[in-house]
Amino acid sequence: MAYNKRDEYYTSFEKHYHCYSLAHVAKPQHEAGDKIIMPQSAFDRLAHTEVGYPMMFELCNLSSGKTTHCGVVEFTADEGFIYLPNWMMDNMKLQEYELVRVTNVSLAKATYMKLQPHTKRFLDELSNPRAVLEAILRKFSCLTTGDTIMIMHNESKYYIDVLETKPSNAVSITETDCEVDFAPPLDYKEPDEKLVKRKVPFPSQVGEQSKQQPQAVKEEANNKFKAFTGKGKLLGFK
């Protein structure tokens, strides 16, 4: 960490903290999103550090080397500790009280992301997944390629893999418009064409019904995954 004695400003911030999940400190209101709680001493140091706003940080699990990125919501943690959302602890494979390195970073604004829901529930249970995603991701500061994030809607939890982000592997999604593509959910299975054909047999008699059946079979057999029609949709996180 460099320190400029002339203007009494640090040029970077890097600290090691023990981590606890938010469940440990009974602050479930911060579970939705990617923001952590840091101690007051961190705020005092950051106030004298050349950082951008909103503040963003790289977190590193010192045991595994796994990294992710986050924002900060409060500076009320006990000294020497940070508190993380439970899903972030799982994503980083962290145990309670493990050491985490926290470094301030500046991230480019996202222009593109590709996401993959873990289950079809995300598409089946939400009447408008695009609108829900746009609203919930406003609680996030940034995304990191390779992470599994958790979003909450109507008391239900949905896990989503971040497959790709541009222009870099870690991006800010604050005050930006971003193109979003979806990969098929992890539990999605393509329709079995044999079963589809068996399900819609051709009538033995020639008539109007027999003319319609081939089209029905074709439509079912081509029932490929379509999260949102068209190319990636533009979401605004503002």
Side-chain angles (χ1 to χ4, degrees):
M1 182 180 297
Y3 185 71
N4 187 331
K5 292 183 177 180
R6 185 180 62 182
D7 54 16
E8 297 187 346
Y9 264 72
Y10 293 86
T11 57
S12 63
F13 175 92
E14 182 178 305
K15 284 282 195 179
H16 291 183
Y17 296 101
H18 292 285
C19 67
Y20 277 123
S21 65
L22 288 174
H24 182 82
V25 292
K27 292 203 173 186
Q29 68 272 25
H30 298 314
E31 280 292 343
D34 68 341
K35 296 177 177 64
I36 66 173
I37 299 177
M38 301 177 71
Q40 178 64 40
S41 61
F43 175 81
D44 295 339
R45 179 61 60 86
L46 287 162
H48 293 85
T49 304
E50 297 173 3
V51 297
Y53 291 88
M55 296 181 190
M56 296 181 193
F57 303 89
E58 178 191 82
L59 304 182
C60 178
N61 179 338
L62 293 178
S63 297
S64 67
K66 166 72 175 174
T67 62
T68 190
H69 299 80
C70 68
V72 58
V73 64
E74 291 180 8
F75 291 93
T76 58
D78 292 337
E79 289 302 324
F81 293 88
I82 56 172
Y83 308 144
L84 283 65
N86 291 347
W87 69 263
M88 192 178 292
M89 295 277 289
D90 293 339
N91 175 63
M92 294 194 67
K93 297 177 172 56
L94 284 167
Q95 301 296 321
E96 304 284 358
Y97 200 73
E98 274 199 274
L99 270 177
V100 178
R101 185 181 68 228
V102 182
T103 309
N104 75 288
V105 293
S106 177
L107 299 177
K109 290 186 180 296
T111 57
Y112 172 85
M113 67 177 74
K114 186 173 185 179
L115 307 176
Q116 183 175 39
H118 279 200
T119 69
K120 294 184 293 183
R121 289 193 311 113
F122 178 74
L123 303 175
D124 296 340
E125 296 179 1
L126 304 181
S127 59
N128 191 340
R130 177 180 179 274
V132 170
L133 183 72
E134 184 171 352
I136 292 176
L137 285 185
R138 290 196 179 99
K139 298 179 180 179
F140 283 71
S141 303
C142 43
L143 290 177
T144 305
T145 298
D147 275 0
T148 296
I149 65 172
M150 186 274 290
I151 65 174
M152 298 182 68
H153 182 69
N154 290 339
E155 299 184 357
S156 293
K157 297 179 180 180
Y158 302 94
Y159 290 88
I160 298 176
D161 289 343
V162 183
L163 300 183
E164 184 179 1
T165 57
K166 294 180 181 179
S168 59
N169 287 337
V171 292
S172 166
I173 59 171
T174 302
E175 296 292 328
T176 187
D177 288 323
C178 182
E179 186 180 1
V180 179
D181 276 338
F182 278 82
L186 289 176
D187 64 352
Y188 175 77
K189 294 181 179 179
E190 292 287 355
D192 188 319
E193 292 189 9
K194 292 181 180 179
L195 292 177
V196 169
K197 289 180 180 179
R198 221 178 271 131
K199 190 177 178 181
V200 190
F202 288 97
S204 57
Q205 296 181 347
V206 178
E208 188 63 31
Q209 186 179 9
S210 66
K211 294 178 182 179
Q212 295 174 355
Q213 289 289 4
Q215 181 62 28
V217 173
K218 183 178 179 181
E219 288 178 358
E220 286 202 51
N222 291 330
N223 185 25
K224 305 298 183 183
F225 169 78
K226 293 179 182 178
F228 308 134
T229 58
K231 200 174 183 296
K233 297 295 183 179
L234 199 66
L235 301 188
F237 307 109
K238 296 183 178 180

